[in-house]
Short mmCIF file of all heavy atoms in Angstrom, two decimals:
data_model
loop_
_atom_site.label_atom_id
_atom_site.label_comp_id
_atom_site.label_asym_id
_atom_site.label_seq_id
_atom_site.Cartn_x
_atom_site.Cartn_y
_atom_site.Cartn_z
N VAL A 141 -2.89 49.92 -5.97
CA VAL A 141 -4.25 49.43 -5.72
C VAL A 141 -4.60 49.76 -4.27
O VAL A 141 -3.74 50.15 -3.49
CB VAL A 141 -4.37 47.92 -5.99
CG1 VAL A 141 -4.11 47.62 -7.46
CG2 VAL A 141 -3.39 47.13 -5.12
N LYS A 142 -5.88 49.59 -3.90
CA LYS A 142 -6.36 50.12 -2.62
C LYS A 142 -6.00 51.60 -2.59
O LYS A 142 -5.39 52.13 -1.66
CB LYS A 142 -5.73 49.41 -1.42
CG LYS A 142 -5.73 47.90 -1.49
CD LYS A 142 -7.14 47.33 -1.45
CE LYS A 142 -7.10 45.81 -1.44
NZ LYS A 142 -8.43 45.19 -1.51
N THR A 143 -6.36 52.27 -3.64
CA THR A 143 -5.81 53.59 -3.93
C THR A 143 -6.27 54.65 -2.93
O THR A 143 -7.30 54.51 -2.27
CB THR A 143 -6.17 54.01 -5.37
OG1 THR A 143 -5.34 55.10 -5.76
CG2 THR A 143 -7.64 54.44 -5.47
N ASP A 144 -5.47 55.72 -2.82
CA ASP A 144 -5.81 56.83 -1.95
C ASP A 144 -5.58 58.14 -2.71
O ASP A 144 -5.18 58.14 -3.87
CB ASP A 144 -5.01 56.78 -0.65
CG ASP A 144 -3.49 56.83 -0.88
OD1 ASP A 144 -3.06 57.14 -2.01
OD2 ASP A 144 -2.76 56.56 0.07
N LEU A 145 -5.82 59.26 -2.02
CA LEU A 145 -5.72 60.55 -2.69
C LEU A 145 -4.30 60.87 -3.12
O LEU A 145 -4.08 61.41 -4.20
CB LEU A 145 -6.26 61.64 -1.76
CG LEU A 145 -6.25 63.07 -2.31
CD1 LEU A 145 -7.02 63.16 -3.63
CD2 LEU A 145 -6.82 64.05 -1.29
N ASP A 146 -3.32 60.55 -2.29
CA ASP A 146 -1.93 60.83 -2.64
C ASP A 146 -1.53 60.09 -3.91
O ASP A 146 -0.82 60.63 -4.77
CB ASP A 146 -1.02 60.43 -1.48
CG ASP A 146 0.37 61.05 -1.58
OD1 ASP A 146 0.49 62.17 -2.10
OD2 ASP A 146 1.33 60.41 -1.11
N SER A 147 -2.00 58.88 -4.06
CA SER A 147 -1.69 58.06 -5.22
C SER A 147 -2.31 58.64 -6.49
O SER A 147 -1.65 58.73 -7.53
CB SER A 147 -2.19 56.63 -4.99
OG SER A 147 -1.87 55.79 -6.05
N VAL A 148 -3.56 59.04 -6.40
CA VAL A 148 -4.26 59.60 -7.57
C VAL A 148 -3.73 60.98 -7.91
O VAL A 148 -3.45 61.30 -9.08
CB VAL A 148 -5.78 59.65 -7.31
CG1 VAL A 148 -6.51 60.38 -8.45
CG2 VAL A 148 -6.34 58.24 -7.16
N ALA A 149 -3.58 61.84 -6.89
CA ALA A 149 -3.10 63.20 -7.13
C ALA A 149 -1.68 63.19 -7.67
O ALA A 149 -1.33 63.98 -8.56
CB ALA A 149 -3.16 64.00 -5.83
N GLY A 150 -0.85 62.29 -7.14
CA GLY A 150 0.52 62.21 -7.62
C GLY A 150 0.60 61.83 -9.09
O GLY A 150 1.42 62.36 -9.85
N ALA A 151 -0.25 60.91 -9.51
CA ALA A 151 -0.28 60.50 -10.91
C ALA A 151 -0.71 61.66 -11.80
O ALA A 151 -0.11 61.91 -12.86
CB ALA A 151 -1.22 59.31 -11.10
N ILE A 152 -1.73 62.39 -11.37
CA ILE A 152 -2.22 63.53 -12.16
C ILE A 152 -1.16 64.63 -12.21
O ILE A 152 -0.87 65.20 -13.27
CB ILE A 152 -3.53 64.07 -11.57
CG1 ILE A 152 -4.64 63.03 -11.68
CG2 ILE A 152 -3.94 65.37 -12.27
CD1 ILE A 152 -5.93 63.41 -10.98
N GLY A 153 -0.58 64.94 -11.05
CA GLY A 153 0.43 66.00 -11.00
C GLY A 153 1.66 65.67 -11.82
O GLY A 153 2.17 66.53 -12.54
N ALA A 154 2.12 64.44 -11.75
CA ALA A 154 3.31 64.03 -12.50
C ALA A 154 3.02 64.02 -14.00
O ALA A 154 3.85 64.44 -14.81
CB ALA A 154 3.79 62.66 -12.04
N ALA A 155 1.85 63.52 -14.38
CA ALA A 155 1.49 63.48 -15.81
C ALA A 155 1.40 64.89 -16.37
O ALA A 155 1.81 65.14 -17.52
CB ALA A 155 0.18 62.74 -15.99
N ASN A 156 0.87 65.82 -15.59
CA ASN A 156 0.78 67.20 -16.03
C ASN A 156 2.18 67.81 -16.18
O ASN A 156 2.46 68.55 -17.12
CB ASN A 156 -0.03 68.01 -15.02
CG ASN A 156 -0.17 69.48 -15.42
OD1 ASN A 156 -0.92 69.83 -16.32
ND2 ASN A 156 0.58 70.34 -14.74
N LEU A 157 3.08 67.47 -15.27
CA LEU A 157 4.44 68.01 -15.30
C LEU A 157 5.24 67.46 -16.47
O LEU A 157 6.00 68.19 -17.12
CB LEU A 157 5.14 67.67 -13.98
CG LEU A 157 6.60 68.06 -13.83
CD1 LEU A 157 6.78 69.58 -13.95
CD2 LEU A 157 7.15 67.57 -12.50
N PHE A 158 5.08 66.17 -16.77
CA PHE A 158 5.92 65.52 -17.78
C PHE A 158 5.16 65.18 -19.07
O PHE A 158 5.60 64.33 -19.84
CB PHE A 158 6.53 64.25 -17.19
CG PHE A 158 7.49 64.49 -16.06
CD1 PHE A 158 7.15 64.15 -14.76
CD2 PHE A 158 8.71 65.10 -16.29
CE1 PHE A 158 8.02 64.38 -13.70
CE2 PHE A 158 9.59 65.34 -15.25
CZ PHE A 158 9.25 64.99 -13.95
N ASP A 159 4.03 65.83 -19.28
CA ASP A 159 3.24 65.60 -20.50
C ASP A 159 2.95 64.12 -20.70
O ASP A 159 3.05 63.58 -21.82
CB ASP A 159 3.97 66.14 -21.74
CG ASP A 159 4.20 67.64 -21.66
OD1 ASP A 159 3.30 68.35 -21.16
OD2 ASP A 159 5.27 68.11 -22.06
N GLY A 160 2.57 63.46 -19.62
CA GLY A 160 2.31 62.02 -19.68
C GLY A 160 0.85 61.69 -19.56
O GLY A 160 -0.03 62.53 -19.76
N LEU A 161 0.59 60.45 -19.21
CA LEU A 161 -0.77 59.94 -19.09
C LEU A 161 -1.00 59.50 -17.65
O LEU A 161 -0.29 58.63 -17.15
CB LEU A 161 -0.96 58.75 -20.04
CG LEU A 161 -2.26 57.94 -19.90
CD1 LEU A 161 -3.47 58.80 -20.29
CD2 LEU A 161 -2.19 56.68 -20.77
N ALA A 162 -1.97 60.11 -16.99
CA ALA A 162 -2.31 59.72 -15.62
C ALA A 162 -3.40 58.66 -15.66
O ALA A 162 -4.39 58.79 -16.40
CB ALA A 162 -2.79 60.94 -14.83
N CYS A 163 -3.23 57.61 -14.87
CA CYS A 163 -4.25 56.56 -14.78
C CYS A 163 -4.51 56.24 -13.32
O CYS A 163 -3.64 56.39 -12.46
CB CYS A 163 -3.79 55.29 -15.49
SG CYS A 163 -3.81 55.40 -17.29
N ARG A 164 -5.70 55.77 -13.04
CA ARG A 164 -6.00 55.27 -11.70
C ARG A 164 -5.89 53.76 -11.72
O ARG A 164 -6.08 53.11 -12.75
CB ARG A 164 -7.38 55.72 -11.23
CG ARG A 164 -8.57 55.11 -11.95
CD ARG A 164 -9.87 55.71 -11.44
NE ARG A 164 -11.05 54.99 -11.87
CZ ARG A 164 -11.68 55.16 -13.01
NH1 ARG A 164 -11.21 56.06 -13.88
NH2 ARG A 164 -12.75 54.45 -13.32
N SER A 165 -5.59 53.18 -10.57
CA SER A 165 -5.30 51.75 -10.51
C SER A 165 -6.55 50.89 -10.44
O SER A 165 -6.52 49.71 -10.81
CB SER A 165 -4.42 51.45 -9.30
OG SER A 165 -5.08 51.85 -8.10
N GLU A 166 -7.65 51.45 -9.93
CA GLU A 166 -8.88 50.67 -9.78
C GLU A 166 -10.09 51.55 -10.01
O GLU A 166 -10.00 52.78 -10.00
CB GLU A 166 -8.93 50.00 -8.41
CG GLU A 166 -8.71 50.94 -7.25
CD GLU A 166 -8.38 50.20 -5.97
OE1 GLU A 166 -8.21 48.96 -6.00
OE2 GLU A 166 -8.29 50.86 -4.92
N ASP A 167 -11.22 50.91 -10.17
CA ASP A 167 -12.42 51.62 -10.60
C ASP A 167 -13.01 52.52 -9.52
O ASP A 167 -13.29 53.69 -9.75
CB ASP A 167 -13.48 50.61 -11.07
CG ASP A 167 -14.56 51.26 -11.90
OD1 ASP A 167 -14.31 52.35 -12.44
OD2 ASP A 167 -15.65 50.68 -12.03
N ASN A 168 -13.20 51.98 -8.32
CA ASN A 168 -13.88 52.72 -7.26
C ASN A 168 -12.92 53.63 -6.49
O ASN A 168 -11.86 53.19 -6.05
CB ASN A 168 -14.55 51.75 -6.29
CG ASN A 168 -15.67 50.96 -6.96
OD1 ASN A 168 -16.41 51.51 -7.78
ND2 ASN A 168 -15.80 49.70 -6.63
N LEU A 169 -13.31 54.89 -6.33
CA LEU A 169 -12.53 55.85 -5.58
C LEU A 169 -13.28 56.24 -4.31
O LEU A 169 -14.52 56.35 -4.33
CB LEU A 169 -12.26 57.10 -6.42
CG LEU A 169 -11.54 56.87 -7.75
CD1 LEU A 169 -11.38 58.20 -8.49
CD2 LEU A 169 -10.17 56.22 -7.53
N ASN A 170 -12.55 56.46 -3.22
CA ASN A 170 -13.23 56.79 -1.98
C ASN A 170 -13.80 58.21 -1.99
O ASN A 170 -13.49 59.02 -2.88
CB ASN A 170 -12.32 56.55 -0.77
CG ASN A 170 -11.17 57.54 -0.68
OD1 ASN A 170 -11.31 58.72 -0.85
ND2 ASN A 170 -9.98 57.01 -0.38
N GLY A 171 -14.62 58.51 -0.99
CA GLY A 171 -15.31 59.79 -0.94
C GLY A 171 -14.40 60.99 -0.83
O GLY A 171 -14.72 62.08 -1.33
N GLU A 172 -13.25 60.81 -0.20
CA GLU A 172 -12.29 61.90 -0.09
C GLU A 172 -11.73 62.26 -1.46
O GLU A 172 -11.62 63.44 -1.82
CB GLU A 172 -11.16 61.49 0.85
CG GLU A 172 -10.09 62.54 1.02
CD GLU A 172 -8.94 62.03 1.89
OE1 GLU A 172 -8.29 61.04 1.50
OE2 GLU A 172 -8.70 62.64 2.94
N ILE A 173 -11.39 61.23 -2.24
CA ILE A 173 -10.81 61.47 -3.57
C ILE A 173 -11.81 62.17 -4.47
O ILE A 173 -11.48 63.17 -5.13
CB ILE A 173 -10.36 60.14 -4.21
CG1 ILE A 173 -9.29 59.46 -3.36
CG2 ILE A 173 -9.82 60.37 -5.62
CD1 ILE A 173 -8.92 58.06 -3.84
N THR A 174 -13.04 61.67 -4.53
CA THR A 174 -14.04 62.26 -5.42
C THR A 174 -14.38 63.69 -4.99
O THR A 174 -14.61 64.55 -5.85
CB THR A 174 -15.30 61.40 -5.46
OG1 THR A 174 -15.81 61.21 -4.13
CG2 THR A 174 -15.01 60.04 -6.07
N TYR A 175 -14.41 63.93 -3.68
CA TYR A 175 -14.69 65.29 -3.20
C TYR A 175 -13.61 66.26 -3.67
O TYR A 175 -13.92 67.35 -4.20
CB TYR A 175 -14.78 65.30 -1.67
CG TYR A 175 -14.74 66.69 -1.07
CD1 TYR A 175 -15.83 67.56 -1.20
CD2 TYR A 175 -13.59 67.15 -0.42
CE1 TYR A 175 -15.78 68.84 -0.67
CE2 TYR A 175 -13.54 68.43 0.11
CZ TYR A 175 -14.63 69.28 -0.02
OH TYR A 175 -14.58 70.55 0.50
N VAL A 176 -12.35 65.88 -3.51
CA VAL A 176 -11.25 66.77 -3.90
C VAL A 176 -11.22 66.98 -5.40
O VAL A 176 -11.07 68.12 -5.88
CB VAL A 176 -9.91 66.21 -3.39
CG1 VAL A 176 -8.74 66.99 -3.99
CG2 VAL A 176 -9.85 66.26 -1.87
N LEU A 177 -11.36 65.91 -6.18
CA LEU A 177 -11.32 66.04 -7.64
C LEU A 177 -12.45 66.91 -8.15
O LEU A 177 -12.24 67.78 -9.01
CB LEU A 177 -11.39 64.65 -8.29
CG LEU A 177 -10.19 63.72 -8.11
CD1 LEU A 177 -10.44 62.38 -8.80
CD2 LEU A 177 -8.91 64.35 -8.63
N ASN A 178 -13.65 66.69 -7.63
CA ASN A 178 -14.84 67.36 -8.17
C ASN A 178 -15.09 68.74 -7.59
O ASN A 178 -15.52 69.66 -8.32
CB ASN A 178 -16.08 66.49 -7.94
CG ASN A 178 -16.00 65.16 -8.66
OD1 ASN A 178 -15.36 65.05 -9.70
ND2 ASN A 178 -16.63 64.14 -8.11
N GLU A 179 -14.84 68.93 -6.30
CA GLU A 179 -15.28 70.16 -5.65
C GLU A 179 -14.16 71.09 -5.22
O GLU A 179 -14.40 72.28 -5.00
CB GLU A 179 -16.14 69.81 -4.43
CG GLU A 179 -17.39 69.01 -4.78
CD GLU A 179 -18.31 68.81 -3.59
OE1 GLU A 179 -18.46 69.76 -2.80
OE2 GLU A 179 -18.88 67.71 -3.45
N VAL A 180 -12.95 70.59 -5.07
CA VAL A 180 -11.84 71.45 -4.65
C VAL A 180 -10.94 71.80 -5.82
O VAL A 180 -10.69 72.97 -6.10
CB VAL A 180 -11.02 70.79 -3.53
CG1 VAL A 180 -9.87 71.72 -3.11
CG2 VAL A 180 -11.89 70.46 -2.33
N ALA A 181 -10.46 70.79 -6.52
CA ALA A 181 -9.49 71.02 -7.60
C ALA A 181 -10.15 71.16 -8.97
O ALA A 181 -9.54 71.70 -9.89
CB ALA A 181 -8.47 69.88 -7.64
N ASN A 182 -11.36 70.64 -9.10
CA ASN A 182 -12.05 70.65 -10.40
C ASN A 182 -11.20 69.98 -11.48
O ASN A 182 -10.93 70.55 -12.54
CB ASN A 182 -12.41 72.08 -10.82
CG ASN A 182 -13.38 72.13 -11.98
OD1 ASN A 182 -14.15 71.18 -12.21
ND2 ASN A 182 -13.35 73.21 -12.75
N VAL A 183 -10.79 68.76 -11.18
CA VAL A 183 -9.94 67.97 -12.09
C VAL A 183 -10.69 66.70 -12.46
O VAL A 183 -11.35 66.09 -11.62
CB VAL A 183 -8.61 67.61 -11.40
CG1 VAL A 183 -7.79 66.68 -12.27
CG2 VAL A 183 -7.81 68.88 -11.10
N GLU A 184 -10.58 66.28 -13.71
CA GLU A 184 -11.26 65.07 -14.15
C GLU A 184 -10.66 63.82 -13.53
O GLU A 184 -9.45 63.76 -13.27
CB GLU A 184 -11.20 64.95 -15.68
CG GLU A 184 -12.01 65.99 -16.42
CD GLU A 184 -12.02 65.73 -17.93
OE1 GLU A 184 -11.45 64.69 -18.35
OE2 GLU A 184 -12.59 66.56 -18.66
N VAL A 185 -11.50 62.84 -13.29
CA VAL A 185 -11.04 61.55 -12.77
C VAL A 185 -10.18 60.88 -13.85
O VAL A 185 -10.61 60.77 -14.99
CB VAL A 185 -12.23 60.64 -12.41
CG1 VAL A 185 -11.74 59.27 -11.97
CG2 VAL A 185 -13.07 61.28 -11.32
N PRO A 186 -8.97 60.47 -13.52
CA PRO A 186 -8.13 59.82 -14.54
C PRO A 186 -8.72 58.48 -14.97
O PRO A 186 -9.44 57.83 -14.19
CB PRO A 186 -6.78 59.63 -13.83
CG PRO A 186 -7.10 59.67 -12.38
CD PRO A 186 -8.28 60.57 -12.22
N PRO A 187 -8.43 58.04 -16.18
CA PRO A 187 -8.99 56.78 -16.68
C PRO A 187 -8.40 55.58 -15.96
O PRO A 187 -7.33 55.66 -15.35
CB PRO A 187 -8.62 56.79 -18.16
CG PRO A 187 -7.37 57.63 -18.22
CD PRO A 187 -7.56 58.69 -17.19
N LEU A 188 -9.10 54.47 -16.06
CA LEU A 188 -8.65 53.22 -15.45
C LEU A 188 -7.48 52.65 -16.25
O LEU A 188 -7.55 52.55 -17.47
CB LEU A 188 -9.81 52.23 -15.40
CG LEU A 188 -9.62 50.94 -14.59
CD1 LEU A 188 -9.44 51.26 -13.12
CD2 LEU A 188 -10.82 50.02 -14.80
N PHE A 189 -6.42 52.25 -15.57
CA PHE A 189 -5.20 51.76 -16.23
C PHE A 189 -5.49 50.62 -17.19
O PHE A 189 -5.09 50.65 -18.36
CB PHE A 189 -4.20 51.31 -15.17
CG PHE A 189 -2.90 50.80 -15.73
CD1 PHE A 189 -1.84 51.67 -15.98
CD2 PHE A 189 -2.72 49.44 -16.00
CE1 PHE A 189 -0.64 51.20 -16.50
CE2 PHE A 189 -1.52 48.97 -16.51
CZ PHE A 189 -0.48 49.84 -16.77
N ASP A 190 -6.21 49.60 -16.72
CA ASP A 190 -6.43 48.41 -17.54
C ASP A 190 -7.29 48.67 -18.77
O ASP A 190 -7.24 47.89 -19.73
CB ASP A 190 -7.08 47.30 -16.69
CG ASP A 190 -6.08 46.62 -15.78
OD1 ASP A 190 -4.87 46.66 -16.09
OD2 ASP A 190 -6.49 46.05 -14.75
N ASP A 191 -8.07 49.75 -18.77
CA ASP A 191 -8.98 50.04 -19.88
C ASP A 191 -8.46 51.11 -20.82
O ASP A 191 -9.18 51.52 -21.75
CB ASP A 191 -10.36 50.47 -19.34
CG ASP A 191 -11.07 49.35 -18.59
OD1 ASP A 191 -10.65 48.19 -18.73
OD2 ASP A 191 -12.03 49.66 -17.86
N THR A 192 -7.25 51.59 -20.60
CA THR A 192 -6.75 52.75 -21.33
C THR A 192 -5.71 52.36 -22.37
O THR A 192 -4.74 51.65 -22.06
CB THR A 192 -6.15 53.79 -20.36
OG1 THR A 192 -7.14 54.16 -19.41
CG2 THR A 192 -5.66 55.02 -21.10
N ALA A 193 -5.89 52.85 -23.59
CA ALA A 193 -4.94 52.59 -24.67
C ALA A 193 -3.59 53.21 -24.32
O ALA A 193 -3.51 54.37 -23.91
CB ALA A 193 -5.46 53.17 -25.98
N GLY A 194 -2.55 52.43 -24.47
CA GLY A 194 -1.21 52.89 -24.14
C GLY A 194 -0.81 52.57 -22.72
O GLY A 194 0.37 52.62 -22.38
#
Side-chain angles (χ1 to χ4, degrees):
V141 296
K142 313 295 184 185
T143 196
D144 60 12
L145 181 56
D146 197 31
S147 183
V148 173
I152 295 173
N156 181 74
L157 176 61
F158 295 109
D159 298 322
L161 171 66
C163 287
R164 69 184 193 275
S165 59
E166 53 196 6
D167 197 20
N168 295 322
L169 302 178
N170 69 45
E172 179 184 61
I173 299 173
T174 56
Y175 166 72
V176 170
L177 292 179
N178 298 331
E179 300 186 39
V180 180
N182 193 26
V183 174
E184 291 186 4
V185 176
L188 190 64
F189 181 88
D190 283 337
D191 294 345
T192 303

